[in-house]
Amino acid sequence: MKVLVIGANGEIGQHVVKQIQNSDEHTVRAMVRKEEQAEELKKKGIDAVIANLEGNKRSIVKAAKGCDAVVFTAGSGGSTGPDKTLLVDLDGAVKSIEAAEEAGVDRFVMVSAMQANNRENWNEKIRHYYVAKHYADRMLEASNLNYTIVRPGGLLNEVGTGEVQIAENLDERGSIPREDVAKTVVTSLTEEHTYKRAFDLISGETEITDSLRNL
Amino acid sequence: MKVLVIGANGEIGQHVVKQIQNSDEHTVRAMVRKEEQAEELKKKGIDAVIANLEGNKRSIVKAAKGCDAVVFTAGSGGSTGPDKTLLVDLDGAVKSIEAAEEAGVDRFVMVSAMQANNRENWNEKIRHYYVAKHYADRMLEASNLNYTIVRPGGLLNEVGTGEVQIAENLDERGSIPREDVAKTVVTSLTEEHTYKRAFDLISGETEITDSLRNL
């Protein structure tokens, strides 16, 4: 598969790009916002395109053309206000979904947030963030794409263990290294058990491939 | 029809409540956030219920039970931040849609904003507001409800003229008194031409009933 990674310069995105680049199965196209980010990636031999999630959808359609899958792992981040959360995490995500449809890309893997599907479990302090993720996920589910929605718990920068706990709804709270989130995303791409499914994800004791197969 | 008005204390909502109360065709139930608002309405002989759009959906379901239609005209307003826009204008609206479905109410009229359907025409300064309205409208269109989405232009507090211009997409910009928006909403309730339709609305030269029939 040729995979367009949207948010390739993000903390999870960088892991996804690296893992796809190291795989025999897939090739990567990294979508970034700035010229210098694209240059940096091209120096490493990575196919990079520039498009802004707050800009016109056409540039995202162009980036997606010729790809077999899209991974969406962009986010406005914690340091910007709720207005950017709406524009990037919600509208930017839905533009990407529409762009995939328009470019004829069928497969779409979304990086969401643990329990974004359940209003009752949203963190009060960043409730607006959960609203944005919630509706991006619902718009994806309502699309014609073959989607997977990965909802990780608290994100850590530790080295990945490759072992996780996965379920449609985890009661337990937990965290997970970004490297393992990326590995789950990349493994999901061709794992049919994850097609048209959404699941919570935290660190656990089962190897990622096995965990996804048992979903 | 018994009509639940969500946002009954808002500037458009007050007109909607008054117009339904004065009609022979419909009866009104006003949904408000505060006890004192409910008391005020009850003094005027208006059926009032208390529910918070940021709270649990169950109270909205309860408010909608026994009604034949819902009018959604709530909004967080211009003085609150984008976080409230997400929580009220988007999540509150979708909770109301879900509540209507759960309560068995089939008819739903949404007060949206002019051109909320076209990203290209969103006001840059309040782009987050348009994102919220856009996705609330899309969630309504994706629901099983018999909806009408009314998208008024710039809102004025002038006395209504009863004459409007209506189209699925108006190229022209314009404004409209809130009283006329309310009248268009109330007239739409039983006007079959507006079922499963969305339209822009500004002041014009055609009587509201005729304008809706020609949609």
Side-chain angles (χ1 to χ4, degrees):
Chain A
M1 277 188 173
K2 183 160 185 100
V3 184
L4 178 69
V5 179
I6 299 181
N9 204 51
E11 293 186 279
I12 293 173
Q14 290 183 23
H15 283 293
V16 173
V17 169
K18 198 194 290 177
Q19 290 175 19
I20 297 181
Q21 209 194 8
N22 293 338
S23 84
D24 300 324
E25 223 178 334
H26 308 300
T27 55
V28 68
R29 177 180 292 166
M31 188 176 119
V32 290
R33 199 159 36 103
K34 295 178 187 161
E35 183 66 46
E36 59 260 37
Q37 294 168 338
E39 289 307 318
E40 211 50 53
L41 287 159
K42 282 174 187 169
K43 271 186 209 160
K44 294 180 197 162
I46 297 167
D47 178 13
V49 289
I50 300 166
N52 189 341
L53 289 170
E54 294 181 62
N56 196 293
K57 190 171 63 184
R58 279 191 294 272
S59 61
I60 314 174
V61 176
K62 207 176 148 194
K65 275 264 167 71
C67 290
D68 306 293
V70 168
V71 169
F72 186 92
T73 180
S76 62
S79 60
T80 57
D83 55 334
K84 287 285 177 194
T85 307
L86 260 166
L87 294 175
V88 176
D89 300 60
L90 175 52
D91 198 37
V94 179
K95 279 183 200 168
S96 303
I97 292 164
E98 293 170 1
E101 289 181 318
E102 288 174 32
V105 180
D106 181 55
R107 185 84 178 106
F108 198 107
V109 181
M110 173 73 87
V111 178
S112 180
M114 184 134 174
Q115 286 295 299
N117 52 323
N118 284 332
R119 289 191 185 101
E120 287 71 25
N121 293 332
W122 295 351
N123 181 334
E124 277 304 321
K125 284 180 197 160
I126 49 166
R127 212 172 159 79
H128 63 272
Y129 169 74
Y130 282 93
V131 175
K133 300 303 285 180
H134 179 77
Y135 289 103
D137 293 353
R138 283 177 72 167
M139 294 301 296
L140 179 56
E141 288 168 342
S143 78
N144 292 316
L145 298 174
N146 179 11
Y147 66 83
T148 299
I149 298 168
V150 180
R151 297 190 306 250
L155 299 169
L156 308 173
N157 279 332
E158 291 168 13
V159 174
T161 65
E163 297 191 330
V164 296
Q165 193 181 342
I166 283 174
E168 286 195 345
N169 280 291
L170 282 172
D171 291 327
E172 216 178 318
R173 295 293 154 266
S175 57
I176 181 165
R178 288 182 167 89
E179 189 178 351
D180 284 337
V181 176
K183 197 174 172 195
T184 306
V185 165
V186 175
T187 309
S188 292
L189 282 167
T190 50
E191 175 49 64
E192 293 188 15
H193 273 100
T194 70
Y195 290 2
K196 306 233 171 192
R197 302 283 292 277
F199 54 85
D200 289 334
L201 166 71
I202 58 175
S203 286
E205 293 174 345
T206 311
E207 203 275 323
I208 288 171
T209 309
D210 292 338
S211 219
L212 289 174
R213 279 194 193 138
N214 292 328
L215 182 64
Chain B
M1 278 187 171
K2 182 161 183 97
V3 185
L4 178 70
V5 179
I6 299 182
N9 205 51
E11 293 186 277
I12 293 172
Q14 290 184 23
H15 283 293
V16 173
V17 168
K18 198 193 293 175
Q19 290 176 19
I20 298 180
Q21 208 194 7
N22 292 339
S23 86
D24 299 324
E25 222 179 336
H26 309 300
T27 55
V28 69
R29 177 180 291 165
M31 187 176 121
V32 291
R33 199 158 37 102
K34 295 176 188 162
E35 184 66 46
E36 60 261 37
Q37 294 167 341
E39 289 308 318
E40 210 51 53
L41 287 159
K42 281 174 188 168
K43 272 186 210 160
K44 295 181 197 161
I46 297 167
D47 178 12
V49 289
I50 299 166
N52 188 342
L53 289 170
E54 294 181 61
N56 196 294
K57 191 171 63 184
R58 277 191 294 272
S59 61
I60 313 174
V61 175
K62 207 175 148 196
K65 275 264 167 68
C67 291
D68 306 294
V70 169
V71 168
F72 185 92
T73 181
S76 61
S79 61
T80 56
D83 55 334
K84 286 286 177 192
T85 308
L86 261 166
L87 293 174
V88 176
D89 300 61
L90 175 52
D91 199 36
V94 178
K95 279 182 200 168
S96 303
I97 292 163
E98 293 170 3
E101 289 180 318
E102 287 173 33
V105 181
D106 181 55
R107 185 83 179 106
F108 197 107
V109 181
M110 172 74 87
V111 178
S112 180
M114 183 136 175
Q115 287 293 300
N117 52 324
N118 284 332
R119 288 189 185 104
E120 288 70 24
N121 293 332
W122 294 351
N123 181 334
E124 277 304 321
K125 283 179 197 162
I126 50 166
R127 212 173 160 80
H128 62 273
Y129 169 73
Y130 282 92
V131 176
K133 298 305 283 180
H134 178 79
Y135 288 104
D137 292 353
R138 284 178 72 166
M139 295 301 294
L140 179 56
E141 288 168 342
S143 78
N144 292 318
L145 298 174
N146 179 12
Y147 66 84
T148 298
I149 298 168
V150 180
R151 298 190 306 251
L155 299 169
L156 307 173
N157 279 332
E158 292 166 14
V159 174
T161 66
E163 298 192 329
V164 297
Q165 193 181 341
I166 283 174
E168 285 194 346
N169 279 289
L170 282 173
D171 290 327
E172 217 177 317
R173 295 295 154 265
S175 58
I176 181 165
R178 288 181 167 89
E179 189 178 351
D180 283 337
V181 176
K183 196 172 173 197
T184 306
V185 164
V186 175
T187 309
S188 291
L189 281 167
T190 51
E191 175 49 64
E192 294 188 13
H193 274 99
T194 70
Y195 290 2
K196 305 231 171 193
R197 304 283 291 277
F199 54 85
D200 289 334
L201 167 71
I202 57 177
S203 286
E205 294 174 345
T206 311
E207 203 276 321
I208 288 172
T209 308
D210 293 338
S211 219
L212 290 173
R213 279 194 192 139
N214 293 328
L215 181 65

